Amino acid sequence: MAHKIAVIGGDGIGPEVVAEALKVVRAAGVELETTDFDLGGARYLADGTVLPDDVLDELRAFDAILLGAVGTPEVPPGVIERGLLLKMRFALDQFVNQRPFLLPEKDIDFIVIRENTEGTYAGEGGFLRKGTPQEIATQGSVNTRHGVERVVRYAFELAQSRPRKHLTLVHKTNVLTFSGDLWQRTFDDVAAEFPDVTTAYNHVDAACIYFVQDPQRYDVIVTDNLFGDILTDLGGAVSGGIGFASSGNLDPTRQAPSMFEPVHGSAPDIAGQAKANPIAAILSAALMLDLLGEGDAAERIRKACASATDLTASTPEIGDAVVAAL
């Protein structure tokens, strides 16, 4: 049966890279039934729509969501991010953000598991006396035992399935003594259930150094929402560039659709010029296939992407090269 996929091309280079991802998936022999949704910065500028509740309800009926990129310079920061991306993650309970980083020639092969629905992105906080010299702004970090434990458990299960069986917790327990304590205690409790998984702990600032100087030390990393957001951009930089960085926003329970997107932005300065590297979008589609039970096709796509070395080619030509390698 065909997998039902909601496609949000979005803004800038988003539609271009998504088109290549879909082309590659179909070339790999996976049947898709796609429905396009007009969402993103351009839609917001046209009619003020970000993500209406009725559209969100429509999205629930799909097996997965594939997104290109969203955002335009004309839209104020935060409107699309909170109104579309975060709303979708929270409403569909996509509590795992999974981002793999692979660069075989440098022996880099690690995955960052980021908690995706809590932390500082939960929106707790506010202003007092806004716009005055005495203005106060607070931004809290929301951490629940339930939220932390389920993402930590997912990370342990993933680590157990990999050859090295190693998991590193990244936080800042020496300064964030409340949230850090909850994360560390939860991590230790769950670790007792996975005796064959070796563990480590890094402060986030130390992890930034290790990402640059010694990324080979890592296998699977689990961390909170904010730290994970920052570390995964750095991970892309040290493993070939952001044009290769894929991601999945997952509900591992499959009660709601997961959403897959390249880590890069909409790059409006090169939109429509066929200059965008579609590999990150193609690899994100491969992550989608993993979730959909199409693991063989996903692995073939990853191997084909690794053989597409001419990144000076146009966006469609890179997609064609991956198809040819299949």
Side-chain angles (χ1 to χ4, degrees), residues 106-181:
K106 292 190 176 181
D107 198 28
I108 294 173
D109 181 4
F110 66 91
I111 300 174
V112 177
I113 300 300
R114 161 189 169 194
E115 199 290 315
N116 212 31
T117 60
E118 296 187 348
T120 50
Y121 291 13
E124 191 275 330
F127 291 102
L128 181 64
R129 297 191 291 273
K130 187 177 182 180
T132 73
Q134 294 79 34
E135 181 173 349
I136 299 171
T138 63
Q139 192 81 55
S141 179
V142 177
N143 300 266
T144 69
R145 173 70 189 217
H146 167 72
V148 174
E149 182 171 341
R150 63 182 181 174
V151 75
V152 166
R153 188 174 300 280
Y154 179 89
F156 268 103
E157 291 170 351
L158 178 62
Q160 186 170 250
S161 72
R162 289 167 59 86
R164 289 178 59 188
K165 300 184 186 301
H166 189 270
L167 178 62
T168 303
L169 170 64
V170 173
H171 210 281
K172 190 68 174 171
T173 55
N174 58 338
V175 175
L176 303 178
T177 53
F178 302 120
S179 61
D181 184 70

Side-chain angles (χ1 to χ4, degrees), residues 23-312:
K23 178 171 72 179
V24 169
V25 168
R26 291 185 168 114
V30 179
E31 189 175 351
L32 302 179
E33 178 185 325
T34 61
T35 302
D36 292 319
F37 287 83
D38 179 18
L39 297 170
R43 173 69 183 274
Y44 175 77
L45 291 172
D47 62 11
T49 297
V50 181
L51 179 59
D53 289 340
D54 60 334
V55 175
L56 182 61
D57 288 339
E58 284 185 61
L59 291 173
R60 294 181 186 277
F62 288 85
D63 297 321
I65 302 163
L66 184 63
L67 182 144
V70 291
T72 60
E74 299 84 3
V75 178
V79 172
I80 303 302
E81 293 85 351
R82 293 211 67 87
L84 176 58
L85 299 178
L86 294 189
K87 180 177 180 178
M88 189 155 45
R89 292 174 190 174
F90 295 163
L92 301 180
D93 202 23
Q94 297 167 346
F95 63 90
V96 169
N97 182 275
Q98 180 165 322
R99 297 186 179 181
F101 301 98
L102 180 65
L103 191 63
E105 58 266 35
K106 292 190 176 181
D107 198 28
I108 294 173
D109 181 4
F110 66 91
I111 300 174
V112 177
I113 300 300
R114 161 189 169 194
E115 199 290 315
N116 212 31
T117 60
E118 296 187 348
T120 50
Y121 291 13
E124 191 275 330
F127 291 102
L128 181 64
R129 297 191 291 273
K130 187 177 182 180
T132 73
Q134 294 79 34
E135 181 173 349
I136 299 171
T138 63
Q139 192 81 55
S141 179
V142 177
N143 300 266
T144 69
R145 173 70 189 217
H146 167 72
V148 174
E149 182 171 341
R150 63 182 181 174
V151 75
V152 166
R153 188 174 300 280
Y154 179 89
F156 268 103
E157 291 170 351
L158 178 62
Q160 186 170 250
S161 72
R162 289 167 59 86
R164 289 178 59 188
K165 300 184 186 301
H166 189 270
L167 178 62
T168 303
L169 170 64
V170 173
H171 210 281
K172 190 68 174 171
T173 55
N174 58 338
V175 175
L176 303 178
T177 53
F178 302 120
S179 61
D181 184 70
L182 174 59
W183 273 85
Q184 185 69 70
R185 284 186 288 108
T186 304
F187 185 87
D188 294 343
D189 288 347
V190 177
E193 303 174 29
F194 296 85
D196 52 340
V197 176
T198 58
T199 63
Y201 170 81
N202 291 160
H203 290 324
V204 65
D205 42 353
C208 289
I209 296 172
Y210 297 144
F211 264 46
V212 175
Q213 295 183 344
D214 184 25
Q216 296 83 4
R217 71 169 54 206
Y218 292 117
D219 182 20
V220 180
I221 294 167
V222 65
T223 189
D224 82 347
N225 209 336
L226 177 60
F227 295 150
D229 195 0
I230 297 167
L231 282 175
T232 49
D233 280 1
L234 182 56
V238 302
S239 60
I242 205 73
F244 297 91
S246 59
S247 75
N249 300 278
L250 311 179
D251 172 12
T253 71
R254 301 289 300 275
Q255 295 183 51
S258 298
M259 190 268 283
F260 300 85
E261 59 176 328
V263 175
H264 62 66
S266 58
D269 56 320
I270 60 169
Q273 301 175 43
K275 292 182 178 180
N277 179 359
I279 295 296
I282 296 170
L283 291 173
S284 296
L287 283 176
M288 178 180 75
L289 295 185
D290 285 328
L291 183 83
L292 296 174
E294 302 280 0
D296 289 343
E299 190 57 30
R300 288 172 53 222
I301 289 172
R302 281 188 278 268
K303 290 179 179 178
C305 285
S307 69
T309 56
D310 183 9
L311 301 178
T312 63

